[in-house]
Structure formats: C-alpha cells, structure tokens
Amino acid sequence: MTHGWVPFALVCVVFVAVTALVGRAAGLFAARPVLWAAVRAVVQLAVVSTVVAVVLASLPLSAGFLLLMAVVATVTAARRAKAARVLPVALAVLGGAVPALGLLLASGLVPPRGVAVVPLGGILIGGAMTATTLAARRALDVLEQRRGEYEAALALGFTEAEAARELVRLPAADALLPALDQTRTVGLVTLPGAFVGMVLGGAPAWEAGAVQLLVLLALLAVEAAAIAVVVELVARGAVRRTSQSSEVRLT
C-alpha cells in the first residue's frame, strides 16, 4: 500500500457508498445487501489473509480450503436461484470444476502445491458458481413464466423432462455469455487478474498470457458443463423452487 491505509479506506468507502446510493436512487436494489457484501468481504479477506500462508504450505489444508470454497459456492448458487434443495446444485458447481482441475494437475501444467492449486481452483469454482446461479435462475424463471407452453408440450406427447428441457435450455445458455465475452475481448477490453498478477510479479508477458489463456479456456469448459448439468437437473425435477415443486411433478 504505497500511499497508506487512510486513502485506501476512504476510496473503498466511496465505492461502496456510490453503489448503494445509485442502486437505491434508481430503484434497482436496496442499500443493505451492498453494505453487507462489503462488510463480509472485509472480514473474509482479513481472515484469509491471515491464514493463507499456512493453508498454502500444506496440500491437505489446501484441499480442505477448496472444499470450503465449493460448499460456500454451492450454498450461494442455491440461495440466489431460490432452489428448494441445495445438494443437487453441488453437481452443477463441481461437475465441471473438479474434472478441469484434475486434468490440469494430471497434465503437469499445474503443480500439486497449494500456492498453485488454491488460486486456480478458486477461479474455476467461482466461474462454475456464477454460471450455475445464472443458468438456474433463468431456467426456473422460464418454468414459471411459460407454464402454458410446458402444459401444451405435455399435451403433444412430450414427457415432463423433455418438455422442461426444451423450454429452459436456450435461456439457460445465456449464462455462458459473460465468460464468452471475457474470452473474446481479452487483451482488447480487459487484462484479467491472472495476467496482471503474473506481470506485476515479474513473470514474462508471454508466460502470463499463456497462463491467462489456459484459465479462460478452462473457465469456458467449466461453465459450459455447469450450465448443461443445471438444464438436466431442472428438466428432471432435481432442482426446483418450493412453489414449483408442489405444482410440477417430473419423472
């Protein structure tokens, strides 16, 4: 912190205040969730900054930390989607992230050390969480809003799973757009964190670019898998909102 903690704290407060005031003034969202998110970020980063050196030095502790990340990501995605059950959501969050991380470790591109596994695993789990949240929200909203089309499909002979799948798969696919746009515009619009962090740490620009490319392509695969799992879970009735669970019975 080259200019001290006071300017840092003031600028952070300004960003939070602007977010809360704009959201409230425009009628977009209440100020409380913004303030609560900021407070949580402060506390959580303070704790992580304190324990991260110990965690990264031990592979078992790093694995435990990744498990904690996965649990928090699953609960967050389930809550945002208002899913009646949390456990099926874990299949979407982990369905792509675990194989992707396993492939990176097996290929030797990522060394089996906490300092490499935890940051990369966190990026993949975070991407899966975002894709799962967006896909589940869109899919479940569609089932509520297009109830008549669902019933019409049943009348035409579709099974319940087929009818739901046809309705939700295209809207759910929109969840991949942020990752697609980030990949398409990397280096032109944004310089993502992995690239910037490595360059600031003294790594050659070409090496930082190679790592960033690997991360972006892994995220595409992870998020595509998460969306596909969400569509299938929603189609088969494993992921439903409480109100939908009482209205729609799927095979």
Side-chain angles (χ1 to χ4, degrees), residues 178-192 216:
L180 279 174
D181 288 344
Q182 184 181 33
T183 304
R184 287 170 177 163
T185 61
V186 64
L188 299 176
V189 178
T190 61
L191 292 176
L216 288 173

Side-chain angles (χ1 to χ4, degrees), residues 4 19 23 28 46 51-52 62 66 92 125 134 137 192 195-196 231 236-237 248:
T19 304
L28 300 174
V51 304
V52 70
S62 296
L66 283 175
I125 292 171
L134 295 176
R137 284 172 66 95
F195 178 88
V196 173
V231 169
R236 294 180 179 274
V248 181

Side-chain angles (χ1 to χ4, degrees), residues 64 75 106 111 114 133-134 136-137 143 149 151 168-170 172 187 198 211:
V75 172
T133 299
L134 295 176
R137 284 172 66 95
L143 280 185
E149 294 177 55
E151 293 178 345
V168 306
R169 59 188 179 88
L170 291 182
M198 290 187 65
V211 171

Side-chain angles (χ1 to χ4, degrees), residues 78-91:
R79 187 176 69 248
R80 286 298 184 193
K82 299 179 181 178
R85 298 166 58 197
V86 174
L87 190 57
V89 178
L91 295 176

Side-chain angles (χ1 to χ4, degrees), residues 36-108:
W36 178 236
V39 170
R40 282 190 56 169
V42 171
V43 174
Q44 289 163 193
L45 287 175
V47 172
V48 169
S49 299
T50 302
V51 304
V52 70
V54 177
V55 169
L56 296 183
S58 167
L59 194 56
L61 288 179
S62 296
F65 195 68
L66 283 175
L67 179 60
L68 175 62
M69 287 181 175
V71 170
V72 173
T74 297
V75 172
T76 300
R79 187 176 69 248
R80 286 298 184 193
K82 299 179 181 178
R85 298 166 58 197
V86 174
L87 190 57
V89 178
L91 295 176
V93 173
L94 299 178
V98 171
L101 186 58
L103 175 61
L104 291 171
L105 288 170
S107 68

Side-chain angles (χ1 to χ4, degrees), residues 2 61 80 99 139 144 150 195 217 242 244:
T2 56
L61 288 179
R80 286 298 184 193
E144 291 179 351
Y150 170 80
F195 178 88
L217 297 182
T242 303
Q244 293 173 330

